[in-house]
């Protein structure tokens, strides 16, 4: 699925299709019927206040939170039967990339290739893919270092390399910019841009659009577990899209996404 | 020493333990579950007593009961942390108390029989034991080294591992059972009370000087084999219980490496070309609000979002 974004969405199955998704955490309903579609090559940002259900939506799409109601399809396949995990790259909300035992940057990124090589041995092309992903986030020179010794921003770059190393058609990221220094933010924005140009669809949770703003095709704003807005990203700094702002954009129904993505200057 | 048949068996058992205990312990420590081996040891005690009561092999019975206990612990862990620690504590105490009570019920069992299982003994490793231990150790080694990449991924980041299509739950249960099997492999020589130490201490010792998982694995297994063989030998000459001897040795190695690690790290820092570089990049901004603090608009947007 390397079709350019401009031709995407016509006939091809959406990368993500969540219809009427409802989920609870600890008995409290967090999602009350969320509709979310991400078409191939599209960049969709989930916005909303803390507790509005952004992360839960992402985790429901990735199967970490079970859906109580609603249907979920990935690339046109119902979630229960979906096996093409090599098409998905995931950056979970970060606490730390480190665990109880030292692990090198290369070892952590290599786990992203498991969806490709599975039980077969780790081959040269897997190693080359790891090198490319590390190079893309500017961490190749730190490949042998322990992830525990990296800064938060550097750890985040490693986790994004891990998600990219399988060359996925869909990248799902939960707050990739949280706690990341400015230099790393720019590296992440550049990396993401290359992935989008390669044809990957992206679904990401953001607190605000920030340096990723030019890449975003569509913003889905959640409020109390419901979709409050689904349409073009707010032009300013995201204030219009944020809960507490009463004005709801009259973009109901289908918006012409194709016109947006082919608009000059949007994708450099 | 090597002419004594029981000593050959004891040394062979020590070698197998030295490999398997740190190999499994590595994943438990990675998942910050260092104490799990201890819990399995307690549960295994009930298995040993049941073996005496039912007149079957205590080792196989312990393997069975410890595996069941480990699976229960894993399921409790998986369901969330809210009351998991209490449930685990109950399992620990239940295993210990159950073992002590059941041994009193069995006709030819006594607390003295249990003592050799609690602290280990080189004299009691029978030929049948060594065959059992050999089979189980081969199984543990095959799993911990053969599925190294899969188990590493699951223990490193479970949520991510699920999205790579790995059967996360199956691997977690497999690891739990493997840990249980390792406990019963090690209990004849090291003893149930100190099994966990041999799973954890070599890993803790190794990771003071390593930066990668593979290096930690190699060094931890190396330390495990060295202290197991040395401790068993020492217990032959000095008439010491082998378990405590092995564990004290492991602690000494931990301390020595800790002392050596400081100048080693300093030299690495000095010779490493990028030694000074991280200092500039390690400045992590606490949140997006500071990142865009220069502009009025974005700052207000972030404030609204809170």
């Amino acid at each position: 699925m390397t079709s350019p974004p401009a031709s995407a969405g016509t006939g091809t199955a959406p990368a993500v299709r969540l219809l009427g998704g409802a989920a609870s955490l600890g008995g409290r309903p967090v999602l009350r019927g969320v509709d979310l579609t991400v078409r191939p090559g599209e960049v969709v940002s989930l916005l909303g206040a803390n507790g509005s259900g952004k992360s839960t939506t992402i985790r429901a799409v990735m199967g970490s939170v079970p859906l109580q109601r609603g249907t979920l399809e990935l690339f046109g396949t119902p979630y229960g039967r979906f096996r093409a995990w090599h098409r998905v790259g995931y950056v979970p909300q970060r606490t730390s990339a480190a665990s109880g035992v030292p692990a090198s940057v290369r070892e952590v990124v290599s786990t992203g290739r498991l969806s490709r090589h599975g039980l077969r041995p780790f081959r040269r092309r897997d190693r080359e893919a790891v090198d490319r992903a590390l190079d893309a986030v500017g961490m190749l020179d730190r490949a042998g270092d322990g992830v525990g010794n990296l800064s938060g921003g550097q750890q985040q770059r490693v986790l994004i390399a891990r998600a990219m190393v399988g060359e996925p058609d869909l990248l799902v990221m939960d707050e990739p910019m949280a706690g990341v220094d400015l230099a790393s933010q720019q590296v992440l924005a550049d990396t993401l841009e290359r992935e989008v140009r390669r044809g990957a669809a992206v679904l990401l949770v953001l607190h605000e659009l920030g340096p990723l703003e030019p890449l975003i095709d569509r913003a889905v704003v959640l409020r109390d577990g419901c979709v409050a807005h689904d349409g073009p990203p707010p032009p300013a700094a995201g204030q219009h899209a944020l809960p507490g702002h009463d004005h709801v954009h009259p973009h109901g129904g289908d918006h012409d996404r194709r016109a947006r993505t082919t608009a000059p200057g949007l994708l450099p | 020493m090597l002419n004594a048949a029981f000593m050959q068996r004891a040394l062979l058992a020590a070698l197998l333990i030295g490999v398997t205990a740190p190999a499994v312990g590595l994943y438990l420590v990675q998942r910050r579950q260092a104490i799990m081996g201890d819990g399995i040891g307690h549960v295994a005690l009930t298995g040993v007593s049941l073996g005496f009561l039912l007149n079957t092999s205590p080792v196989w019975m312990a393997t069975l009961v410890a595996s069941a206990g480990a699976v229960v612990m894993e399921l409790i862990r998986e369901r969330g942390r809210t009351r998991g620690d209490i449930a685990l504590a109950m399992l620990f105490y239940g295993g210990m108390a159950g073992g002590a009570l059941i041994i009193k019920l069995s006709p030819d069992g006594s607390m003295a029989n249990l003592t050799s299982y609690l602290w280990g003994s080189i004299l009691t490793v029978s030929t049948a034991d060594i065959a059992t231990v050999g089979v189980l150790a081969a199984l543990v080694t095959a799993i911990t080294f053969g599925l190294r990449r899969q188990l590493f991924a699951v223990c490193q980041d479970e949520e991510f591992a699920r999205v790579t299509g790995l059967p996360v739950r199956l691997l977690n249960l497999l690891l739990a059972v493997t840990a249980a099997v390792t406990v019963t492999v090690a209990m004849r020589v090291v003893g149930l009370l100190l099994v966990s130490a041999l799973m954890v201490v070599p890993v803790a010792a190794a990771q003071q000087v390593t930066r990668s998982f593979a290096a930690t694995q190699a060094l931890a297994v190396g330390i495990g084999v060295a202290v197991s063989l040395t401790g068993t030998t020492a217990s032959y000459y000095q008439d010491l219980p082998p378990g405590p001897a092995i564990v004290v040795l492991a602690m000494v190695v931990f301390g020595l490496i800790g002392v050596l690690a400081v100048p080693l790290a300093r030299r690495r820092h000095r010779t490493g070309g990028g030694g000074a570089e991280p200092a500039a990049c390690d400045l992590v901004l606490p949140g997006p609000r500071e990142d865009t603090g220069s502009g009025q608009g974005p700052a207000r947007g972030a404030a609204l979002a809170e």
Side-chain angles (χ1 to χ4, degrees), chain A:
Chain A
M1 193 105 347
T2 47
S3 51
S7 66
T10 53
T12 38
V16 176
R17 189 188 184 86
L18 176 66
L19 287 178
S24 307
L25 292 180
R28 194 175 60 89
V30 180
L31 305 183
R32 303 162 199 273
V34 171
D35 294 343
L36 177 68
T37 305
V38 181
R39 285 174 274 269
E42 192 178 29
V43 182
V44 176
S45 169
L46 282 174
L47 298 168
N50 290 336
S52 59
K54 302 180 304 255
S55 282
T56 309
T57 303
I58 291 267
R59 299 184 71 212
V61 167
M62 291 291 94
S64 293
V65 171
L67 283 178
Q68 290 169 317
R69 277 181 287 116
T71 56
L72 172 63
E73 287 179 6
L74 297 176
F75 297 102
T77 311
Y79 178 81
R81 288 196 279 118
F82 185 74
R83 295 290 176 271
W85 287 111
H86 61 273
R87 300 186 69 179
V88 182
Y90 181 34
V91 182
Q93 196 164 31
R94 181 177 59 87
T95 42
S96 165
S99 65
V101 167
S104 71
V105 167
R106 178 179 294 282
E107 283 171 329
V108 170
V109 173
S110 295
T111 61
R113 279 304 276 191
L114 274 168
S115 56
R116 291 268 175 192
H117 71 85
L119 282 173
R120 294 186 303 277
F122 197 76
R123 286 169 216 264
R124 172 198 286 261
R125 67 161 174 273
D126 297 311
R127 206 168 311 123
E128 286 167 354
V130 170
D131 282 349
R132 274 198 305 277
L134 280 174
D135 194 29
V137 297
M139 293 294 290
L140 189 53
D141 56 330
R142 307 292 300 267
D145 288 3
V147 281
N149 301 329
L150 301 179
S151 73
Q154 288 168 328
Q155 288 194 14
Q156 190 68 11
R157 292 198 222 171
V158 170
L159 295 188
I160 289 183
R162 180 181 69 172
M164 283 172 14
V165 74
E167 284 143 31
D169 300 317
L170 169 67
L171 267 172
V172 178
M173 309 187 183
D174 197 346
E175 302 241 17
M177 296 300 196
V180 171
D181 52 84
L182 277 172
S184 289
Q185 280 201 18
Q186 197 51 52
V187 172
L188 297 186
D190 295 345
T191 307
L192 207 58
E193 189 193 314
R194 277 196 301 273
E195 289 295 298
V196 170
R197 234 182 302 157
R198 188 172 63 80
V202 181
L203 171 63
L204 75 175
V205 168
L206 287 177
H207 238 83
E208 55 181 53
L209 297 178
L212 295 180
E213 184 170 359
L215 287 173
I216 312 284
D217 295 319
R218 191 152 56 84
V220 174
V221 180
L222 294 179
R223 187 187 298 157
D224 294 331
C226 299
V227 175
H229 165 91
D230 185 347
Q239 296 175 52
H240 287 274
L242 292 165
H245 185 90
D246 278 334
H247 170 67
V248 174
H249 288 267
H251 298 298
D254 225 345
H255 51 279
D256 192 356
R257 195 190 86 70
R258 227 192 296 177
R260 279 189 55 79
T261 45
T262 49
L266 248 178
L267 291 174

Side-chain angles (χ1 to χ4, degrees), chain A residues 49-50 59 62-64 85 88 90 92 97-104 107-108 110-112 114-115 117-119 122 141-142 144-147 149-154 162-163 177 179-182 185 207-208 237 239 242-243, chain B residues 25-27 29-32 147-150 152-153 155-157 159-160 162-166 203 207-208 210-216 277-278 281-289 291-292 297-302 304-306:
Chain A
N50 290 336
R59 299 184 71 212
M62 291 291 94
S64 293
W85 287 111
V88 182
Y90 181 34
S99 65
V101 167
S104 71
E107 283 171 329
V108 170
S110 295
T111 61
L114 274 168
S115 56
H117 71 85
L119 282 173
F122 197 76
D141 56 330
R142 307 292 300 267
D145 288 3
V147 281
N149 301 329
L150 301 179
S151 73
Q154 288 168 328
R162 180 181 69 172
M177 296 300 196
V180 171
D181 52 84
L182 277 172
Q185 280 201 18
H207 238 83
E208 55 181 53
Q239 296 175 52
L242 292 165
Chain B
L26 185 66
Y27 298 107
V29 174
Q30 190 191 8
R31 211 159 59 174
R32 302 184 201 279
L147 293 175
R148 181 168 50 95
R149 287 181 181 281
Q150 286 75 15
F152 171 78
C155 295
Q156 182 77 17
D157 188 339
E159 205 175 346
F160 179 82
R162 195 172 288 117
V163 178
T164 62
L166 282 178
V203 177
Q207 68 180 9
Q208 297 176 101
T210 54
R211 284 186 294 180
S212 75
F213 189 79
T216 312
E277 202 180 16
C281 302
D282 272 293
L283 218 160
V284 181
L285 301 174
R289 201 185 312 189
D291 298 345
T292 51
R300 220 169 344 120
L304 267 167
E306 297 305 323

